[in-house]
Amino acid sequence: MEEFHRIRRLPPYVFEQVNRVKAAARNAGADIIDLGMGNPDLPAPAHVVEKLKETIGKTRTDRYSSSRGIPGLRRAQAAYYARRFGVKLNPESQIVATLGSKEGFANVAQAICAPGDVVLVPNPSYPIHAFGFLMAGGVIRSVPAEVGPEYFHSLERAVIHSIPKPIALVVCYPSNPTAQVADLDFYKDLVAFAKKHGLFILSDLAYAEVYFDDNPPPSVLQVPGAMDVTVEFTSMSKTYSMPGWRMGFAVGNERIIAALARVKSYLDYGAFTPVQVAAAAALNGPDDCIVEMRDVYRKRREAMVDSFGRAGWNIPSPAASMFAWAPIPEPFQTLGSLEFSKLLVEKAEVAVAPGMGFGEHGEGFVRLALVENEQRIRQAARNIRRFLETGPEKLHNVVPLATRR
């Protein structure tokens, strides 16, 4: 039978191919060190968990919740933006709570995108940035993910040669997957460009608090006038190690926020109220847990860069995010990122995310997540050292580690 229209627009999920190899290796007894998915392994802050326990199981909080987010949560998010970025937000008209930033992106695509509308999306980028709009019937035009002089030249060409004219531009800094950061001067130019060409800016700021060099990433909303054209998405997942709680936010331009809220009112009743209450407690609470989270990822970054480098694989040190974006070692580059990632699982018991899963310009790279402790990261480096010393021409003779035990 012919596939449904929207399913035809979605290519096979690249990461699932690595997941199948990973599952097979584990079934065979392998101890896979999983650096593939950006799934935080740290516990949620104790005071946030306690607030959840305190709120759960009551008649009032077990009912349907608010799709837009309970008022206290929206006020907490407004206070966070004022405190962290110096940006004033109206909790009633400029903030919507979402079921994570990923779902927020998918919902905003449904809210603003008509069939055939063109959206400019960085390549490589997190898959929902493109596929949220593809599922909504939009058309994607790729632009570079790198901040630099060529970036705005590429945007100009994309706008000139797109028919119809693009409606929106997606940005994500600190970037998933490349870990690149943008400064306020870049955002000033971006806002000016968007206003000149009548574009909306959709900014993914999920990694705002995961930075390592005492240089906090800015928000595009800090630029005067950015609110006229911008909506920004943030998440509790990485900042507070709450990925399974599914709590995020969209803030900014009132027109888009109103459209998003209207779409969401048909799609969901909002997150479970105790989760929203606990999220408000996180945003209103002390920052000690954020500083500790940052310190853990910093130490893991240093362990990875050091141990992998000594193993023969030089990993560029990320300034922010919980990821490293690394070129495939030279002897293995002809394999491509997918086959290289599968081979790492089978021969070195290390899982990474193939770069091609983030777009065609991710080919030649893999993404490594800082989601294993320092000891496990150093073990991964030892496994990889043996793998690299073998060389691609001899790998067919290599017995997987799991079968040696």
Side-chain angles (χ1 to χ4, degrees):
M1 294 179 65
E2 187 177 2
E3 284 189 324
F4 298 113
H5 169 69
R6 281 188 172 83
I7 302 304
R8 289 201 305 272
R9 306 201 79 194
L10 300 176
Y13 199 53
V14 169
F15 306 115
E16 185 54 37
Q17 297 185 51
V18 178
N19 289 341
R20 284 197 295 269
V21 175
K22 188 166 59 180
R26 282 178 169 152
N27 288 338
D31 176 24
I32 302 298
I33 301 171
D34 197 344
L35 308 175
M37 185 177 181
N39 193 4
D41 63 318
L42 304 178
H47 68 282
V48 179
V49 176
E50 285 305 311
K51 178 58 72 172
L52 177 73
K53 292 177 180 177
E54 175 189 315
T55 313
I56 202 167
K58 299 179 180 178
T59 303
R60 182 171 59 86
T61 57
D62 279 354
R63 294 176 176 175
Y64 290 128
S65 193
S66 168
S67 177
R68 293 178 60 93
I70 61 175
L73 178 58
R74 285 183 277 120
R75 287 194 297 268
Q77 177 71 345
Y80 163 74
Y81 258 80
R83 195 168 62 242
R84 171 70 164 79
F85 303 112
V87 171
K88 184 178 180 181
L89 293 167
N90 183 337
E92 296 303 315
S93 61
Q94 294 177 317
I95 300 177
V96 165
T98 63
L99 303 179
S101 58
K102 180 177 183 177
E103 293 82 346
F105 251 93
N107 289 160
V108 85
Q110 292 173 293
I112 71 172
C113 188
D117 277 348
V118 177
V119 179
L120 307 181
V121 177
N123 189 334
S125 73
Y126 187 53
I128 197 64
H129 295 156
F131 292 109
F133 287 97
L134 284 173
M135 285 188 281
V139 176
I140 300 305
R141 186 175 184 115
S142 293
V143 295
E146 300 83 9
V147 173
E150 179 57 25
Y151 180 82
F152 287 100
H153 295 312
S154 297
L155 289 190
E156 288 279 2
R157 289 195 299 271
V159 169
I160 291 169
H161 296 292
S162 294
I163 299 174
K165 185 176 77 68
I167 63 165
L169 164 67
V170 175
V171 290
C172 176
Y173 302 107
S175 170
N176 179 6
T178 69
Q180 189 172 25
V181 270
D183 59 22
L184 206 51
D185 286 338
F186 169 82
Y187 283 139
K188 288 175 182 175
D189 292 340
L190 189 71
V191 169
F193 181 90
K195 289 191 170 187
K196 174 183 174 182
H197 294 286
L199 298 172
F200 285 116
I201 298 170
L202 305 174
S203 169
D204 185 343
L205 195 61
Y207 298 90
E209 301 302 339
V210 190
Y211 59 90
F212 308 122
D213 301 323
D214 300 319
N215 187 20
S219 161
V220 62
L221 291 173
Q222 291 175 243
V223 176
M227 203 78 70
D228 299 338
V229 294
T230 304
V231 163
E232 191 158 71
F233 296 83
T234 57
S235 170
M236 307 291 288
S237 297
K238 310 308 189 293
T239 302
Y240 296 98
S241 303
M242 296 165 59
W245 300 50
R246 306 316 301 139
M247 179 54 59
F249 301 92
V251 308
N253 178 268
E254 292 189 2
R255 181 184 171 201
I256 298 181
I257 292 296
L260 174 58
R262 186 166 180 180
V263 165
K264 272 177 54 63
S265 71
Y266 284 92
L267 295 177
D268 68 67
Y269 288 108
F272 187 34
T273 296
V275 169
Q276 296 195 48
V277 172
L283 290 167
N284 291 329
D287 287 344
D288 303 17
C289 56
I290 302 176
V291 174
E292 291 170 9
M293 169 274 297
R294 212 176 281 140
D295 190 51
V296 167
Y297 287 133
R298 180 187 293 108
K299 289 175 180 175
R300 292 179 180 182
R301 174 194 68 161
E302 291 166 358
M304 178 177 288
V305 171
D306 173 64
S307 62
F308 278 52
R310 286 189 287 107
W313 188 3
N314 291 322
I315 307 292
S317 183
S321 86
M322 57 189 296
F323 303 113
W325 183 242
I328 298 171
E330 195 277 328
F332 299 88
Q333 286 177 1
T334 56
L335 291 176
S337 60
L338 178 57
E339 291 307 313
F340 176 72
S341 299
K342 289 156 69 172
L343 204 58
L344 269 188
V345 174
E346 293 172 343
K347 306 301 185 182
E349 297 188 349
V350 176
V352 299
M356 68 174 294
F358 302 97
E360 62 180 304
H361 296 295
E363 187 53 274
F365 293 81
V366 296
R367 192 193 71 179
L368 302 98
L370 303 172
V371 293
E372 296 267 15
N373 63 40
E374 292 168 59
Q375 180 181 347
R376 297 274 285 170
I377 287 172
R378 294 188 185 279
Q379 179 61 54
R382 289 191 289 271
N383 293 0
I384 285 169
R385 177 192 287 275
R386 289 191 290 269
F387 169 78
L388 294 178
E389 287 174 348
T390 303
E393 67 284 349
K394 299 178 184 176
L395 280 173
H396 63 281
N397 295 322
V398 174
V399 179
L401 291 175
T403 64
R404 302 181 200 168
R405 299 190 178 100

